Amino acid sequence: MSAKERTLKLPDGSTVSALWQKPKGAKAVLVLAHGAGAGMTHRHMAATADGLEARGIATLRYNFPYMEKGSKRPDNPPVAHAAIRAAAADAAKLAGDLPLFAGGRSFGARMTSQAQALEPLPSVTGLVFFAFPLHAPGKPGIERAEHLSSVKIPMLFLQGSKDEFADLDLLKPVTAKLGKRAKLHLAEHADHSFHAPAKSGRKDPEVLAEILDAAHDWMLKQ
């Protein structure tokens, strides 16, 4: 599926690349941020955008500044938040009267929720998290979720049941505490990358389809 290249201007005068995909008869728009280790053109990001397009959801994916520069060290939160706001503003113009959502994978998900908690993203009606990184692997904790109480719009957590970045004994109470604002969808046997081992009997495309179906259904209900 084809994506149109765009350029986002940031407050400091620098720019980052973006890709816009909009199907005919689009029903909603999702601003999609990448994870810490791979940019917007990674095959997982492309598969997510293509899968959502096939389901009638437009996406604007973009690079964080460090990824645009070819660095492996993620931006600090203020820099990441500025990129998220620029992407959300651009998507709002492209969306027209379509409902607008924001989120992303792992690092991108957490940075988006932080930005929303600090100051609501204009026109964004909900957040979609693909593998929210509740804690580092082997270091269980919920400190990374403390800001979520300041997010006042609906949130969808799409998680693998075997995600090493989100112990379910911690994640379930976190989402439950958020009440009706939060919904948790678990993909059985999947890890942080939504990969399921062969012994589970599940294939990765099947897991991704389940995740994208859940995202589509949730967005259309908001």
Side-chain angles (χ1 to χ4, degrees), residues 191-209:
D191 64 12
H192 191 62
S193 298
F194 297 132
H195 167 69
K199 64 181 180 181
S200 71
R202 305 199 73 190
K203 295 183 178 180
D204 291 358
E206 174 192 342
V207 174
L208 180 60

Side-chain angles (χ1 to χ4, degrees), residues 6-10 14-18 60 62-63 83 86-87 90:
R6 295 185 66 80
T7 300
L8 306 179
K9 188 172 182 179
L10 306 185
S14 64
T15 60
V16 294
S17 302
L60 180 71
Y62 59 97
N63 278 335
D90 192 55

Side-chain angles (χ1 to χ4, degrees), residues 2-206:
S2 60
K4 295 182 179 179
E5 296 182 358
R6 295 185 66 80
T7 300
L8 306 179
K9 188 172 182 179
L10 306 185
D12 64 1
S14 64
T15 60
V16 294
S17 302
L19 291 170
W20 168 244
Q21 285 181 238
K22 183 183 179 182
K24 292 182 178 179
K27 307 165 190 173
V29 176
L30 174 63
V31 182
L32 188 62
H34 61 73
M40 66 175 184
T41 58
H42 187 272
R43 60 187 179 86
H44 288 165
M45 290 290 289
T48 298
D50 288 346
L52 288 171
E53 182 179 359
R55 290 164 173 79
I57 306 295
T59 57
L60 180 71
R61 49 192 158 116
Y62 59 97
N63 278 335
F64 284 111
Y66 79 95
M67 189 62 65
E68 190 78 7
K69 298 171 185 175
S71 173
K72 294 183 179 180
R73 183 176 181 179
D75 300 311
N76 60 40
V79 173
H81 298 166
I84 290 165
R85 294 190 185 284
D90 192 55
K93 296 176 183 177
L94 294 167
D97 59 358
L98 293 176
L100 179 63
F101 299 84
R105 269 203 51 79
S106 195
F107 171 79
R110 184 163 67 97
M111 289 300 103
T112 300
S113 61
Q114 285 183 1
Q116 176 68 29
L118 289 169
E119 183 182 346
L121 298 164
S123 303
V124 171
T125 59
L127 301 181
V128 182
F129 307 133
F130 294 85
F132 187 89
L134 185 60
H135 54 75
K139 298 181 179 179
I142 60 171
E143 292 79 10
R144 290 182 177 181
E146 291 176 353
H147 68 280
L148 295 174
S149 62
S150 297
V151 175
K152 304 305 181 185
I153 58 177
M155 293 169 274
L156 174 63
F157 292 78
L158 301 163
Q159 304 283 151
S161 67
K162 301 298 183 182
D163 189 340
E164 64 274 25
F165 287 75
D167 186 304
L168 289 186
D169 288 338
L170 298 176
L171 182 62
K172 287 181 176 180
V174 163
T175 55
K177 188 176 180 180
L178 295 170
K180 293 182 179 180
R181 285 175 293 155
K183 180 178 180 180
L184 173 61
H185 179 93
L186 292 175
E188 291 298 326
H189 307 294
D191 64 12
H192 191 62
S193 298
F194 297 132
H195 167 69
K199 64 181 180 181
S200 71
R202 305 199 73 190
K203 295 183 178 180
D204 291 358
E206 174 192 342

